[in-house]
Amino acid sequence: MNINQAQLEIAGESNIGLTRRHNEDNFLIYAPPGGEGVMAVVADGIGGHSRGEIASYICCRELFTAAKKCTHWDKNFLLDALIQANKQIFDFNFKGKRAKPMGCTVVAALFFRDKVICASAGDSRMYEFTRLADGKPLRQITTDHRPEGYDELFRAGKIRSISLVSRSLGTAKHLEPDLLEFPRPADARYLLCSDGLYNRQPDQLFAGLLGSSFSARKITGELIRSALLAGERDNITVICATPVDRHR
């Protein structure tokens, strides 16, 4: 847990799930001393490919290295850092001549006092919860990157994988992540996660926990626990960020 100049309490946790032999997820939380922002990253190794845990580790490592060197975090910084991470993983695959190149999905966020910058590739997600919003208080910020016609083929039983993605780090030479910048409401709470969290759980559960008085650490632990109780077999990774008193 960390409280920082962005006035956030932020916590993260990862669990291997019920059936996997190892955890291919990695996550990063970085709040530099004296910095104005906080970085949060969830990276999920692609299932069915080799050494996904290395791909997700390289992703987090490269973002951390870039963040330490950069004094001004903005959309260009985040995009450049992800492109460099993609290059590192792709080059690793190319040198190893891998038939099933390792790769990972990613969702990365830069939190500031009054705004958020988010980038994503694949099916790792970011949610925002705020009671000040019109309509539903919980909204999914990111868009899952799936092959064209995926939903129809999955419902028809022609695709069995629930984790098939059309965009990721490391599997192609060029990366085009989604990149967003938006205001941060005063009461907003945020959730970053791998697909192991939402595969078997409804959005209503996320809204209930994010709308509670629980701390970021408590929400994170409860989300992991509920996913395991629901029978989740995949790796599960969660980062939760909640506001603290801005008048401190």
Side-chain angles (χ1 to χ4, degrees), residues 120-126 140-146 178 180:
S120 66
D123 60 0
S124 292
R125 292 180 179 178
M126 180 175 181
Q140 183 179 329
I141 299 293
T142 54
T143 299
D144 297 341
H145 297 131
R146 305 287 191 193
D178 288 346
L180 304 169

Side-chain angles (χ1 to χ4, degrees), residues 62-143:
E62 291 301 315
L63 287 170
F64 176 59
T65 300
K68 287 196 299 180
K69 293 179 179 178
C70 183
T71 58
H72 179 61
W73 292 359
D74 57 13
K75 291 173 69 174
N76 290 331
F77 152 73
L78 188 55
L79 178 60
D80 290 345
L82 285 170
I83 289 173
Q84 179 61 26
N86 183 75
K87 181 180 184 303
Q88 290 290 328
I89 302 169
F90 182 82
D91 288 349
F92 193 97
N93 284 325
F94 184 79
K95 291 176 183 177
K97 298 180 179 179
R98 303 180 186 281
K100 292 186 176 181
M102 68 180 185
C104 67
T105 68
V106 64
V107 57
L110 304 176
F111 294 103
F112 303 93
R113 282 204 174 196
D114 58 357
K115 68 178 181 180
V116 181
I117 300 173
C118 174
S120 66
D123 60 0
S124 292
R125 292 180 179 178
M126 180 175 181
Y127 295 87
E128 179 186 72
F129 178 92
T130 173
R131 291 190 177 87
L132 301 180
D134 294 331
K136 295 181 180 180
L138 181 74
R139 70 180 179 120
Q140 183 179 329
I141 299 293
T142 54
T143 299

Side-chain angles (χ1 to χ4, degrees), residues 18-243:
L18 295 177
T19 62
R20 299 295 175 90
R21 293 185 177 182
H22 59 282
N23 194 340
E24 295 192 351
D25 291 359
N26 274 286
F27 72 92
L28 165 68
I29 297 172
Y30 177 52
E36 296 182 357
V38 178
M39 173 182 281
V41 181
V42 170
D44 178 0
I46 298 175
H49 290 232
S50 63
R51 309 179 78 174
E53 71 280 4
I54 296 180
S56 63
Y57 168 77
I58 291 173
C59 174
C60 290
R61 181 194 68 190
E62 291 301 315
L63 287 170
F64 176 59
T65 300
K68 287 196 299 180
K69 293 179 179 178
C70 183
T71 58
H72 179 61
W73 292 359
D74 57 13
K75 291 173 69 174
N76 290 331
F77 152 73
L78 188 55
L79 178 60
D80 290 345
L82 285 170
I83 289 173
Q84 179 61 26
N86 183 75
K87 181 180 184 303
Q88 290 290 328
I89 302 169
F90 182 82
D91 288 349
F92 193 97
N93 284 325
F94 184 79
K95 291 176 183 177
K97 298 180 179 179
R98 303 180 186 281
K100 292 186 176 181
M102 68 180 185
C104 67
T105 68
V106 64
V107 57
L110 304 176
F111 294 103
F112 303 93
R113 282 204 174 196
D114 58 357
K115 68 178 181 180
V116 181
I117 300 173
C118 174
S120 66
D123 60 0
S124 292
R125 292 180 179 178
M126 180 175 181
Y127 295 87
E128 179 186 72
F129 178 92
T130 173
R131 291 190 177 87
L132 301 180
D134 294 331
K136 295 181 180 180
L138 181 74
R139 70 180 179 120
Q140 183 179 329
I141 299 293
T142 54
T143 299
D144 297 341
H145 297 131
R146 305 287 191 193
E148 185 176 354
Y150 168 86
D151 291 337
E152 293 77 10
L153 291 171
F154 183 75
R155 284 195 292 267
K158 296 180 179 180
I159 295 178
R160 290 186 294 175
S161 174
I162 59 175
S163 299
L164 196 63
V165 295
S166 59
R167 206 177 301 183
S168 61
L169 267 68
T171 55
K173 187 173 183 179
H174 299 290
L175 173 70
E176 295 182 5
D178 288 346
L179 193 60
L180 304 169
E181 182 173 336
F182 51 93
R184 176 186 155 198
D187 74 326
R189 292 183 163 203
Y190 295 93
L191 170 65
L192 284 73
C193 64
S194 61
D195 64 331
L197 182 71
Y198 64 79
N199 282 338
R200 299 170 185 270
Q201 301 192 99
D203 286 356
Q204 292 89 334
L205 174 68
F206 304 158
L209 285 169
L210 289 169
S212 72
S213 60
F214 291 163
S215 66
R217 168 55 63 197
K218 177 69 171 177
I219 294 170
T220 299
E222 287 297 314
L223 286 168
I224 294 282
R225 178 176 176 273
S226 62
L228 292 171
L229 289 174
E232 183 54 50
R233 295 171 290 182
D234 199 359
N235 308 144
I236 312 156
T237 300
V238 176
I239 294 176
C240 182
T242 62

